Amino acid sequence: MKLKRYLITLALLVASMPASAIYISEKMVNDYLEKKIAEKNQKDVKVLNSHVALLDGYASICASVRSRYLAKDVDFCADMTPAWRQETASLHATRMALVSFDAPGVPPQQIEALKTLLNQIVLPRLEGVELYRTEELIGKRISSVKVVPGQLDIAM
């Protein structure tokens, strides 16, 4: 019963706050992403050193991929547009595009061909990858998210 009262009080407090006072920090997004990647890493392919940077109107994600099938780690950065899905109380990556791709030992002209192939075939299939999830009580009240440097400003 006390938990229910606490949640109702919290919901009323959040609802009464001005929208500009509510935000999700870059650190919160990165902590969530690190946890989710750790859950999904397989022994054949691992994503390492992932980091999301929240910029002005868009975000960038950089990481390294390690595989037992590759001689060295592959590094990449991709720009994306984070979009809020109210029905699932979660933030998703949309319109992803590789901006850098480094595969040691692969000639530059092949890197560009690989980057183009990944942008046209692989990244569109990753549309909607979850970057962050919040409690449904609050998350379903969020109507939109604006990306600003270092944080996501929330509108309810």
Side-chain angles (χ1 to χ4, degrees):
M1 189 63 146
K2 285 183 181 182
L3 178 61
K4 188 175 182 179
R5 283 186 192 164
Y6 172 75
L7 290 174
I8 290 170
T9 304
L10 179 63
L12 291 173
L13 178 65
V14 168
S16 67
M17 295 173 77
S20 62
I22 303 171
Y23 68 93
I24 298 170
S25 72
E26 189 173 274
K27 181 180 179 346
M28 291 169 68
V29 172
N30 279 302
D31 289 348
Y32 181 85
L33 191 60
E34 183 179 321
K35 178 182 166 193
K36 284 300 179 184
I37 287 173
E39 290 173 2
K40 295 193 183 248
N41 270 341
Q42 304 169 5
K43 63 180 178 180
D44 291 341
V45 178
K46 292 185 188 228
V47 178
L48 309 167
N49 306 320
S50 65
H51 178 77
V52 172
L54 300 173
L55 305 163
D56 191 15
Y58 71 100
S60 182
I61 182 168
C62 296
S64 296
V65 175
R66 179 173 293 159
S67 172
R68 67 181 185 166
Y69 304 111
L70 303 171
K72 295 184 179 179
D73 294 351
V74 173
D75 299 318
F76 71 91
C77 287
D79 286 347
M80 66 180 143
T81 303
W84 189 259
R85 290 196 183 154
Q86 192 173 27
E87 64 278 1
T88 60
S90 56
L91 183 71
H92 295 260
T94 64
R95 293 185 271 172
M96 291 191 292
L98 282 175
V99 291
S100 69
F101 186 74
D102 181 33
V106 178
Q109 55 274 45
Q110 288 181 357
I111 290 285
E112 285 306 311
L114 273 170
K115 197 165 114 179
T116 300
L117 181 71
L118 291 168
N119 276 330
Q120 292 177 355
I121 296 172
V122 176
L123 291 181
R125 292 184 179 164
L126 295 177
E127 185 78 11
V129 169
E130 186 176 278
L131 298 173
Y132 185 78
R133 179 179 293 269
T134 190
E135 297 298 322
E136 285 190 19
L137 179 68
I138 296 170
K140 289 193 174 189
R141 294 184 48 86
I142 296 171
S143 59
S144 66
V145 172
K146 180 180 177 186
V147 184
V148 296
Q151 69 186 32
L152 299 167
D153 283 345
I154 297 171
M156 294 187 144

